[in-house]
């Protein structure tokens, strides 16, 4: 399985540099990160072309192979290794995300109001091609090179896209290459492509590949599929307006609606994952369509903060350590201690924010607004006034929790602000925002857990933080010791619930 995003074109005479590295190995699958850069030898200019994430499954004959785990060493490797588990989680629920979006958030386009003169019937974009797999197309095992199949798929997709726009389309992104099964030398591959939907400046082309042997043409195996996004660029490399598409009844309408759903997911993902912290509100809108990516970004942001290797030990009192990290315009704090409580028990106790006022005076009250699913919940939190302000603060917080993916992984409880139409800012409170905070819990032994708390100070409280570091250290220490006592006092209360973890 491959996900790809392209940024720039490559032309004849330019050098292409390709780097690939295994980000993480799971039981029998692994994620490989691929980065493609280009260089113009005349001007010595270099630029990134595209990046992709590929998932491989190790097999020996018909059985899967248990993979050895890799050990990340650099800060970048640690980040990729940690976030790879979140990306795997998203891939596994991707199909369900599309179904939920179509079921709960109707994706409709008003076809009747569109200009019929600019509308192209989808069937006019259909392309079908047959390729014979020859020995140069296959590896030493006789299986067709994945790259060869991808090239054939892009060819038919490009033809389908050109039939809509009557121009030379440019491949912008690939939603996913899904390799369902292998093909071998001697197979005929039937490649089919059609424009699923056209938007203002882009179009989605769906491609599928079926394989058969000449002696059994009626028995075709579905081996590959992909969704590719194309644009048409003008002389200034700006995307041009595209004609609309009229979907075929039945299956064509389903593909049309699913393409709209995938576009919405792409836009949500692009906004959530790439929004610049200093240019947009820290709180992002919550709705069912962006749930998966908000949760992903929430957990990934915390894991990336944890993986940074330039934390500085500021103080240590009674085996409670306080670390700080200055990064760009943000100042982050990390508290760490070891408690005599089972890691799974501590995870249960700390992941329910309604219990936090019992040990954290900064949480005056906590209301559960929505239990989204087993791992995500939204809370409304009120806290006392901060830094000389007369009004108390309130927060709308998404709490995302994760159990360990492999041995050595921590339990994670990630917190970040979201906006809800039902909980807008009121005159009674001053709305606060948290960009990245939460807990990581490592099992250190039987009934022994390393508890780490992280908090990235947002611009709204940065001045208060930087002028009260000494007092804040004392506050952090007092609060963290209260957390330890809370865990010790309640370490047996939820024992039956541990069976569900």
């Amino acid at each position: 399985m491959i996900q790809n995003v392209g940024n720039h074109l490559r032309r004849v005479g330019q050098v292409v540099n390709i780097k690939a590295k295994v980000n993480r190995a799971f039981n029998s699958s692994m994620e490989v990160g691929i980065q493609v850069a280009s260089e113009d030898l005349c001007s010595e200019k270099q630029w990134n072309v595209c990046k992709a994430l590929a998932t491989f499954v190790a097999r020996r004959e018909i059985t899967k192979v248990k993979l050895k785990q890799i050990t990340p060493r650099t800060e970048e490797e640690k980040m990729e290794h940690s976030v790879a588990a979140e990306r795997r989680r998203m891939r596994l629920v991707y199909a369900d995300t599309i179904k939920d979006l179509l079921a709960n958030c109707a994706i409709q386009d008003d076809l009747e109001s569109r200009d019929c003169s600019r509308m192209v019937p989808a069937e006019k974009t259909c392309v079908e091609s047959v390729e014979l797999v020859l020995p140069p197309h296959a590896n030493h095992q006789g299986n067709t090179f994945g790259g060869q199949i991808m090239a054939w798929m892009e060819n038919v997709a490009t033809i389908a896209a050109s039939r809509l726009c009557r121009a030379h389309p440019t491949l912008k992104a690939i939603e996913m290459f899904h390799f369902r099964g292998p093909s071998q030398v001697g197979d005929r591959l039937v490649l089919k492509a059609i424009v699923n939907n056209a938007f203002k400046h882009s179009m989605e082309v769906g491609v599928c590949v079926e394989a058969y042997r000449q002696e059994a043409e009626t028995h075709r195996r579905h081996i590959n599929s992909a969704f590719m996004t194309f644009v048409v660029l003008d002389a200034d490399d700006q995307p041009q307006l595209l004609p609309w598409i009229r979907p075929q009844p039945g299956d064509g309408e389903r593909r049309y609606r699913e393409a709209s759903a995938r576009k919405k997911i792409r836009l949500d993902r692009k906004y959530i994952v790439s929004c610049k912290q200093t240019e947009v509100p820290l709180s992002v809108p919550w709705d069912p369509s962006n749930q998966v990516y908000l949760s992903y970004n929430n957990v990934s942001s915390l894991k990336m903060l944890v993986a940074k290797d330039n934390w500085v030990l500021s103080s240590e009192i009674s085996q409670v350590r306080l670390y700080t990290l200055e990064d760009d315009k943000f100042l982050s704090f990390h508290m760490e201690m070891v408690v005599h409580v089972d890691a799974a028990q501590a995870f249960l106790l700390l992941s329910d924010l309604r219990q936090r006022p019992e040990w954290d005076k900064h949480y005056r009250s906590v209301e559960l607004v929505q239990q989204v699913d087993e791992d995500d919940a939204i809370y409304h939190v009120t806290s006392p006034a901060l830094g000389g302000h007369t009004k108390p603060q309130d927060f709308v917080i998404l709490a995302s929790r994760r159990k360990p993916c492999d041995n050595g992984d921590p339990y994670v409880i990630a917190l970040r602000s979201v906006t809800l139409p039902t909980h807008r800012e009121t005159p009674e409170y001053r709305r606060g925002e948290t960009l990245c905070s939460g807990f990581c819990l490592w099992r250190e032994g039987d009934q022994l857990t390393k508890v780490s708390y992280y908090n990235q100070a947002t611009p709204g409280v940065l001045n208060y933080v930087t002028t009260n570091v000494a007092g804040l250290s004392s506050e952090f220490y007092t609060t963290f010791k209260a957390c330890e006592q809370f865990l010790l006092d309640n370490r047996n209360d939820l024992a039956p619930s541990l069976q569900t973890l």
Side-chain angles (χ1 to χ4, degrees):
M1 185 179 295
I2 294 179
Q3 293 175 293
N4 174 278
V5 177
N7 298 318
H8 297 283
L9 300 175
R10 289 87 58 213
R11 293 183 171 86
V12 174
Q14 294 173 343
V15 176
V16 176
N17 299 313
I18 304 175
K19 295 181 180 180
K21 180 185 290 186
V22 175
N23 291 332
R24 181 162 185 165
F26 300 97
N27 288 328
S28 59
S29 66
M30 69 189 84
E31 180 190 280
V32 178
I34 305 164
Q35 182 76 44
V36 181
S38 190
E39 178 184 359
D40 190 310
L41 295 179
C42 297
S43 65
E44 297 186 354
K45 181 181 178 182
Q46 298 182 5
W47 60 93
N48 291 327
V49 176
C50 65
K51 58 183 178 180
L53 297 168
T55 302
F56 289 85
V57 177
R59 293 180 181 274
R60 184 178 291 115
E61 295 179 352
I62 62 173
T63 60
K64 293 183 179 180
V65 177
K66 175 70 174 179
L67 296 174
K68 294 181 180 179
Q69 302 302 303
I70 64 173
T71 303
R73 301 190 184 280
T74 67
E75 179 180 309
E76 181 181 0
E77 289 174 351
K78 291 176 182 177
M79 288 182 181
E80 292 294 348
H81 181 271
S82 184
V83 177
E86 279 302 295
R87 288 193 286 255
R88 178 175 181 265
R89 186 176 186 271
M90 281 206 305
R91 288 194 295 271
L92 295 176
V93 302
Y94 182 81
D96 291 335
T97 302
I98 293 288
K99 291 179 183 178
D100 291 344
L101 182 58
L102 292 174
N104 301 322
C105 306
I107 304 293
Q108 296 179 347
D109 289 281
D110 190 2
L111 294 171
E112 296 180 358
S113 65
R114 291 184 171 178
D115 184 0
C116 294
S117 64
R118 295 184 60 248
M119 192 172 287
V120 177
E123 55 267 26
K124 286 193 174 183
T125 69
C126 284
V127 178
E128 184 170 319
S129 175
V130 179
E131 300 286 350
L132 173 62
V133 181
L134 299 173
H137 302 143
N139 60 23
H140 64 283
Q141 296 176 324
N143 293 329
T144 315
F145 287 122
Q148 180 62 70
I149 297 177
M150 292 164 63
W152 284 334
M153 293 173 73
E154 183 182 349
N155 284 342
V156 295
T158 302
I159 296 171
S162 65
R163 288 183 175 177
L164 174 75
C165 61
R166 297 298 173 186
H168 297 291
T170 299
L171 179 62
K172 183 65 176 176
I174 299 170
E175 186 70 24
M176 196 173 294
F177 271 115
H178 190 182
F179 291 82
R180 301 172 183 270
S183 61
Q184 292 82 30
V185 172
D187 280 346
R188 268 72 171 175
L189 303 187
V190 181
L191 299 103
K192 301 177 182 179
I194 188 172
V195 177
N196 291 331
N197 204 337
F199 309 102
K200 188 175 181 180
H201 293 115
S202 65
M203 70 186 93
E204 180 192 279
V205 179
V207 190
C208 73
V209 184
E210 297 174 335
Y212 70 91
R213 309 294 289 190
Q214 185 175 12
E215 61 273 13
E217 183 176 355
T218 57
H219 179 66
R220 295 185 177 183
R221 314 185 311 273
H222 184 189
I223 63 168
N224 291 88
S225 59
F227 301 105
M228 305 186 188
T229 301
F230 287 86
V231 296
V232 178
L233 303 177
D234 59 20
D236 298 321
D237 284 341
Q238 297 301 312
Q240 296 182 354
L241 289 173
L242 296 175
W244 302 117
I245 198 81
R246 182 186 295 118
Q248 297 171 298
D251 200 43
E253 292 177 346
R254 175 189 59 80
R255 294 196 304 268
Y256 181 89
R257 295 182 68 245
E258 287 179 352
S260 295
R262 281 187 288 271
K263 184 191 178 207
K264 178 167 178 53
I265 288 176
R266 283 195 302 273
L267 293 177
D268 287 339
R269 179 177 60 201
K270 182 178 180 181
Y271 173 74
I272 293 166
V273 175
S274 66
C275 63
K276 297 180 180 178
Q277 298 167 343
T278 57
E279 297 180 6
V280 298
L282 303 179
S283 300
V284 293
W286 169 269
D287 68 68
S289 69
N290 64 13
Q291 168 189 337
V292 172
Y293 296 100
L294 270 174
S295 181
Y296 160 80
N297 192 58
N298 189 14
V299 175
S300 298
S301 296
L302 180 59
K303 286 185 172 182
M304 290 167 64
L305 186 63
V306 173
K308 290 185 178 295
D309 57 9
N310 49 344
W311 289 96
V312 177
L313 179 62
S314 296
S315 64
E316 182 175 358
I317 306 174
S318 300
Q319 297 182 324
V320 175
R321 297 183 178 90
L322 170 63
Y323 297 85
T324 58
L325 171 66
E326 293 187 50
D327 188 13
D328 296 327
K329 296 183 179 180
F330 295 93
L331 180 63
S332 301
F333 295 88
H334 165 207
M335 297 289 294
E336 183 179 280
M337 66 180 174
V338 176
V339 297
H340 291 273
V341 178
D342 183 79
Q345 179 75 353
F347 176 66
L348 286 173
L349 290 167
L350 295 176
S351 61
D352 186 356
L353 294 194
R354 289 172 295 184
Q355 299 187 73
R356 188 154 171 174
E358 296 182 32
W359 58 269
D360 190 348
K361 67 179 182 179
H362 301 96
Y363 277 55
R364 177 182 292 174
S365 67
V366 179
E367 169 201 3
L368 177 63
V369 176
Q370 182 181 351
Q371 186 67 50
V372 180
D373 56 28
E374 181 185 355
D375 294 323
D376 295 280
I378 300 176
Y379 297 90
H380 181 239
V381 177
T382 64
S383 64
L386 177 68
H389 289 280
T390 57
K391 285 186 179 181
Q393 281 190 302
D394 72 336
F395 301 80
V396 178
I397 292 177
L398 169 65
S400 304
R401 69 178 197 171
R402 297 288 188 272
K403 302 165 191 173
C405 181
D406 287 318
N407 290 333
D409 283 355
Y411 290 89
V412 176
I413 305 164
L415 311 174
R416 73 154 301 155
S417 291
V418 294
T419 57
L420 283 175
T422 56
H423 288 71
R424 301 185 186 277
E425 186 172 358
T426 62
E428 181 183 358
Y429 292 99
R430 184 171 57 88
R431 177 56 53 90
E433 294 177 311
T434 177
L435 175 65
C436 177
S437 62
F439 290 91
C440 285
L441 312 172
W442 281 270
R443 191 184 299 276
E444 295 284 286
D446 185 30
Q447 298 295 313
L448 204 62
T449 302
K450 182 172 74 174
V451 179
S452 293
Y453 176 73
Y454 298 84
N455 193 317
Q456 192 171 52
T458 56
V461 298
L462 191 57
N463 290 336
Y464 168 76
V465 168
T466 54
T467 55
N468 294 271
V469 172
L472 199 65
S473 298
S474 177
E475 276 194 42
F476 274 154
Y477 171 76
T478 302
T479 303
F480 219 48
K481 292 302 287 184
C483 176
E484 178 184 22
Q485 193 61 48
F486 166 77
L487 294 174
L488 292 172
D489 291 343
N490 295 275
R491 57 184 168 184
N492 297 318
D493 290 356
L494 298 175
S497 302
L498 295 181
Q499 300 174 3
T500 64
L501 289 180

